[in-house]
Amino acid sequence: MEIVSSNRSHGGVQGVYRHASAATGTEMTFSVFVPDHAEGAKLPVVWYLSGLTCTHANVTEKGEFRAACAEHGLIFVAPDTSPRGEGVADDAEGAYYFGLGAGFYVNATEAPFAQHYQMRRYIEEELPALIGAEFPADMARQSIMGHSMGGHGALTIGLRNADRFRAISAFSPIVSPLNCPWGEKALTGYIGADKAAWRDYDACALIEDGARVPDILVDQGTADNFLEGQLKPDLLEAACADAGQSLTLRMQEGYDHSYYFISTFMAEHLAWHKARLG
């Protein structure tokens, strides 16, 4: 693991790191904030998954999470959104919502994406092992959150691994790739045309199929220009209601899809996570 940068901030250390990933077959970059702590202490871990076109840097530079993480004693991990580098396939049509920066946190099975787009395995297996080995992380206390495509990732990874993640929250998540244009293009390209295979990557379908967690928190801005066509939080609300899955859905008046929105409510989400991480 290579240290790309390390900066003192809010009584802790904000680092950016790079390593060779076996899952993706590429170099991967991620950021970790570690608040000050007693020698030998292990701290709970909050994972943050970013959205379309983003890297680790978006939330690291604009998320305004460090003060809250320092207050609550939380390690904050922000991976990249897809593999990158020479030879990594991208969308031939140049769509921003597929290919580089848009890995959708899946294990791709379709050529040419299957070679590198193994983001599910990277987030669920490889990077947690590295975090547990290299940082003062209590891997028995983990939670996960994300934004947009990363909200989709947080919901689906959290629902599939309910024994690992004690809490799931999201900002403006893609709740059902089965039912939106972004998801249809991405999952067709990565997984293939058989929509039955998509259900493992759709939060609403996972809940319909029996996945359960103690609680889910979602914040959604009412002025989000992707609200009706792509995000559709009403589908998640209906799926949770039908299944008896606890959901707190907060429609935030006048907020859009940007980090102005995310940074406004980030501290509330981290306090919510801390209460569930113990």
Side-chain angles (χ1 to χ4, degrees):
M1 187 179 72
E2 173 191 354
I3 300 174
V4 177
S5 65
S6 180
N7 297 93
R8 187 84 177 142
S9 180
H10 289 281
V13 175
Q14 178 64 67
V16 177
Y17 307 91
R18 183 184 298 120
H19 73 118
S21 167
T24 67
T26 66
E27 286 194 333
M28 295 294 289
T29 302
F30 61 95
S31 75
V32 181
F33 176 73
V34 179
D36 289 348
H37 55 282
E39 185 176 355
K42 295 287 189 178
L43 306 180
V45 180
V46 177
W47 293 82
Y48 179 93
L49 305 184
S50 289
L52 293 168
T53 75
C54 293
T55 70
H56 71 282
N58 296 74
V59 69
T60 304
E61 296 170 3
K62 298 185 289 186
E64 299 183 25
F65 57 86
R66 279 174 285 270
C69 285
E71 176 186 353
H72 298 302
L74 300 171
I75 292 175
F76 191 93
V77 181
D80 202 348
T81 51
S82 75
R84 301 175 194 271
E86 186 176 353
V88 176
D90 196 6
D91 181 42
E93 300 173 355
Y96 70 88
Y97 47 89
F98 182 61
L100 295 180
F104 270 81
Y105 305 99
V106 306
N107 283 344
T109 57
E110 297 293 299
F113 301 98
Q115 181 180 359
H116 297 296
Y117 284 77
Q118 300 294 310
M119 289 300 294
R120 172 179 176 176
R121 181 156 63 98
Y122 179 69
I123 299 297
E124 289 185 351
E125 300 175 20
E126 183 176 23
L127 190 55
L130 183 62
I131 296 298
E134 298 290 341
F135 296 91
D138 182 353
M139 303 306 283
R141 291 188 292 162
Q142 298 183 69
S143 66
I144 192 165
M145 64 191 302
H147 169 233
S148 193
M149 179 189 70
H152 141 78
L155 289 168
T156 56
I157 290 171
L159 285 164
R160 288 194 307 262
N161 297 275
D163 58 335
R164 182 187 307 179
F165 297 104
R166 296 191 185 183
I168 306 171
S169 75
F171 299 100
S172 312
I174 302 171
V175 304
S176 183
L178 276 159
N179 293 288
C180 75
W182 283 344
E184 289 181 9
K185 180 176 176 65
L187 295 186
T188 300
Y190 293 137
I191 309 298
D194 180 8
K195 290 192 175 183
W198 299 9
R199 295 186 70 82
D200 219 22
Y201 299 109
D202 185 295
C204 294
L206 285 166
I207 291 168
E208 290 169 2
D209 293 345
R212 298 289 184 273
V213 292
D215 195 13
I216 299 170
L217 171 64
V218 171
D219 272 332
Q220 172 64 62
T222 62
D224 191 322
N225 58 324
F226 302 117
L227 175 58
E228 295 183 3
Q230 303 285 0
L231 306 177
K232 304 181 180 181
D234 55 300
L235 297 180
L236 180 65
E237 188 172 37
C240 288
D242 289 345
Q245 166 63 55
S246 176
L247 168 69
T248 302
L249 173 60
R250 308 191 304 185
M251 300 301 296
Q252 303 291 1
E253 187 66 31
Y255 284 90
D256 60 16
H257 200 70
S258 72
Y259 270 87
Y260 293 109
F261 164 55
I262 296 166
S263 63
T264 300
F265 299 101
M266 177 65 83
E268 292 182 19
H269 277 241
L270 291 170
W272 184 87
H273 282 266
K274 174 58 177 178
R276 286 151 181 80
L277 287 167

